[in-house]
């Protein structure tokens, strides 16, 4: 196997999908606290009260709170992220299991509203800081390097109500205050930071049929996050020159469905809009040439200042990190054989099989992505999410046989190995949901990714007991052999 001696093997979770304890120790709310469960067919809904006091629900994707409305938790709704898998109270037990598997890296996120409950306090919430310090110390004690996402889809809800979803320049300063706090407090404990999880989602999941106003908002939202991200990179380096700062991109490999030159061109433009736009700004420090075409296509006029341009140039990433689950075929031809559920994932690729949630299974696409991206930026890469969301069955004796999960990871690790052999500087692999957690897309528990099973269910029942699946023992061999033993 080609992996370096100090390659990081591990797994990943996010605060809102794992911690639970949504209203404990002074934490403020985030959007996920007013988001119900859903399924592959039914979207997750946000709950709110309109200006006349009526209880309302609306699909959470691309939701904008109407004027005069307020987000609200309703007693007769179930909010899966409220308890999640209660990592907040189980972290010691969980870290012991990760250590047993041989993890050398663990990716987790900080909940902004645990540190600044409304985002606008002058002083941080000490209980939130103490909590994360204990988690990082526990990881250190167990020889596991934390990889910390600063923002994983969880802006404090109070800010969302006041300023909309990153549509206000004031977010940049509020995010700066938050990052200064965590960089200072956790200096020496954390060295690997990711500024915004899947920052490109704002634009790559926006359908071409969306209105010009939606595109205007999406590109503006992204611009403010790019500046906030670049500022965090600069401040991260100032506070601790040992900090390694990374972007985090939702990595999708796009293929043209046919050799029609129009499909090839369409595919290239899909890469530009969905993947390269966000990577180029964050890794090259400036907007690419094709940005003007993207904006012009939808009459987008951005609020970009001279200072923003300077900040982008000063905040280039040390590493490119990405999630990888699937590939998508795109075409300009009429084709109704689309895949996915309440979110569209392109047209069906006849050469691939699909998961129960409609995600294309394609390890070759990971090799393609790794080589494409490394050739473009030539900075270290990390695969910080990869995994199979699947139904698991607990047998009568408590065992969980999940050969499908082992097959999935084995194939993707082999693909990484070939890319490394071909010269890609890949430094880490953290599988998604190494401990089962709440799905971000559907809010389900039964869409399980973990090597560790958690007794928690979609109807809110469960003991939170942890169990080792068969894949736990397999991944332990992988970690301990540095990827050499994949049998
Ligand atoms: C990524 C996110 O999009 O994919 C995670 O960073 C998410 O938060 C993961 O959980 C898998 O998606 P899902 O919808 O299966 O949870």
């Amino acid at each position: 196997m080609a992996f370096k001696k100090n390659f990081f093997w591990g797994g990943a979770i996010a605060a809102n999908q794992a911690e639970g304890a949504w209203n404990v120790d002074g934490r403020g709310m985030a959007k996920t606290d007013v988001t119900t469960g859903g399924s592959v067919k039914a979207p997750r809904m946000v709950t709110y009260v309109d200006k006349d006091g009526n209880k309302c629900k609306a699909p959470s994707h691309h939701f904008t709170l109407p004027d005069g409305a307020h987000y609200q938790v309703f007693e007769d709704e179930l909010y899966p992220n409220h308890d999640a898998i209660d990592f907040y109270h189980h972290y010691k037990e969980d870290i012991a299991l990760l250590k047993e598997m041989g993890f050398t890296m663990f990716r987790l996120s900080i909940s902004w509203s645990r540190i600044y409950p409304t985002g606008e306090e002058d002083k941080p919430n000490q209980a939130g800081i103490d909590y994360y310090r204990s988690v990082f110390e526990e990881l250190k004690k167990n020889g596991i390097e934390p990889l910390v996402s600063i923002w994983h889809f969880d802006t404090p809800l109070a800010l969302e109500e006041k300023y909309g979803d990153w549509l206000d320049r004031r977010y940049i300063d509020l995010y700066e205050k938050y990052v200064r706090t965590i960089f200072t407090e956790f200096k020496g404990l954390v060295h690997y930071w990711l500024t915004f999880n899947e920052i490109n989602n704002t634009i790559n999941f926006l359908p071409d049929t969306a209105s010009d106003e939606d595109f205007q908002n999406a590109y503006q939202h992204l611009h403010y996050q790019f500046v906030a991200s670049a500022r965090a990179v600069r401040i991260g380096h100032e506070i601790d020159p040992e900090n390694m700062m990374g972007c985090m991109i939702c990595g999708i490999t796009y293929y043209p469905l046919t050799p029609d030159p129009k499909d090839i061109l369409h595919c290239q433009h899909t890469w530009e809009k969905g993947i390269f736009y966000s990577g180029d700004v964050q890794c090259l420090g400036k907007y690419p040439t094709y940005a003007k075409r993207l904006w012009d296509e939808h009459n987008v006029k951005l609020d970009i200042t001279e200072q923003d341009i300077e900040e982008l140039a000063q905040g280039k990433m040390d590493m490119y990190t990405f999630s990888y689950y699937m590939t998508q075929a795109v075409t300009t031809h009429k084709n109704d054989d689309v895949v996915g559920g309440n979110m569209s994932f392109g047209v069906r690729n006849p050469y691939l099989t699909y998961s129960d949630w409609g995600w294309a299974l394609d390890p070759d696409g990971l090799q393609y992505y790794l080589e494409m991206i490394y050739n473009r930026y030539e900075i270290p890469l990390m695969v910080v999410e990869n995994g199979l969301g699947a139904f698991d069955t607990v047998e009568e004796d408590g065992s969980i046989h999940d050969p499908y999960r082992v097959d999935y990871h084995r194939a993707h690790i082999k693909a990484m190995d070939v890319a490394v052999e071909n010269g890609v500087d890949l430094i880490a692999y953290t599988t998604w949901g190494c401990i089962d957690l709440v799905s971000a897309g559907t809010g389900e528990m039964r869409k399980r990714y973990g090597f560790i099973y958690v007794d928690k269910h979609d109807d809110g029942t469960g003991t939170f007991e942890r169990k080792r699946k068969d894949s736990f023992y397999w991944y332990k061999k992988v970690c301990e052999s540095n990827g050499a033993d994949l049998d």
Side-chain angles (χ1 to χ4, degrees), residues 234-261:
R234 181 171 49 76
I235 294 168
H237 288 150
E238 276 165 20
I239 291 180
D240 185 349
E242 281 184 34
N243 277 336
M244 285 284 285
M245 307 296 303
C247 60
M248 199 300 202
I249 304 289
C250 173
I252 295 175
T253 295
Y254 293 103
Y255 302 129
L257 186 70
T258 77
D260 179 347

Side-chain angles (χ1 to χ4, degrees), residues 35 63 92 108 143 147 164 175 184 203 268-269 318 330 339 353-354 356 381 389 415 422 435 448 463 482:
T35 308
F63 173 74
K92 288 198 176 162
L108 69 172
L147 168 64
Y175 181 84
T184 309
I203 198 72
Q268 180 181 316
H269 287 179
D318 302 313
V330 297
V339 288
T353 56
Y354 288 81
D356 290 327
L381 304 188
N422 291 346
I435 314 168
R448 295 178 182 273
T463 60
N482 197 24

Side-chain angles (χ1 to χ4, degrees), residues 196-215:
F196 284 93
N197 182 68
E198 293 190 339
I199 194 167
N200 55 324
N201 279 357
T202 310
I203 198 72
N204 68 343
F205 286 126
L206 195 61
D208 288 338
T209 50
S211 67
D212 282 0
E213 189 187 354
D214 286 341
F215 274 98

Side-chain angles (χ1 to χ4, degrees), residues 17 152-153 197-198 325 359 385 432 439-441 447 449:
Q17 292 171 256
H152 195 117
F153 308 146
N197 182 68
E198 293 190 339
Y325 295 94
W359 295 25
E385 285 187 30
W432 179 246
S439 154
K447 187 180 188 189
Y449 285 89

Side-chain angles (χ1 to χ4, degrees), residues 212-344:
D212 282 0
E213 189 187 354
D214 286 341
F215 274 98
Q216 169 70 35
N217 289 344
Y219 281 114
Q220 190 64 66
H221 165 132
L222 258 179
H223 177 70
Y224 292 146
Q225 289 197 334
F226 288 153
V227 178
S229 170
R231 197 179 286 180
V233 170
R234 181 171 49 76
I235 294 168
H237 288 150
E238 276 165 20
I239 291 180
D240 185 349
E242 281 184 34
N243 277 336
M244 285 284 285
M245 307 296 303
C247 60
M248 199 300 202
I249 304 289
C250 173
I252 295 175
T253 295
Y254 293 103
Y255 302 129
L257 186 70
T258 77
D260 179 347
K262 291 213 167 11
D263 274 9
I264 308 294
L265 197 59
H266 177 52
C267 185
Q268 180 181 316
H269 287 179
T270 307
W271 274 93
E272 288 173 351
K273 171 185 157 213
I275 306 295
F276 295 147
Y277 182 81
S278 300
D280 288 355
V281 175
Q282 293 183 95
C283 298
L284 305 177
K286 60 182 170 72
Y287 277 103
T289 321
Y290 57 81
K292 185 174 177 314
R293 175 182 56 76
L294 289 172
W295 299 333
D296 287 351
E297 275 168 8
H298 298 284
N299 299 311
V300 169
K301 303 269 177 294
L302 290 185
D303 163 31
I304 301 182
T305 65
E306 286 300 315
Q307 191 193 327
D308 292 348
I309 291 169
E310 270 171 46
E311 289 206 65
L312 292 179
Q314 290 163 359
K316 288 192 233 167
M317 293 294 173
D318 302 313
M319 54 189 190
Y320 181 105
T321 90
F322 66 102
S323 58
Y324 178 83
Y325 295 94
M326 66 176 106
T327 54
Q328 285 185 25
V330 297
T331 182
T332 55
H333 297 263
K334 184 169 164 37
N335 187 322
D336 294 330
D337 194 5
V338 292
V339 288
N342 63 59
M343 286 169 75
S344 166

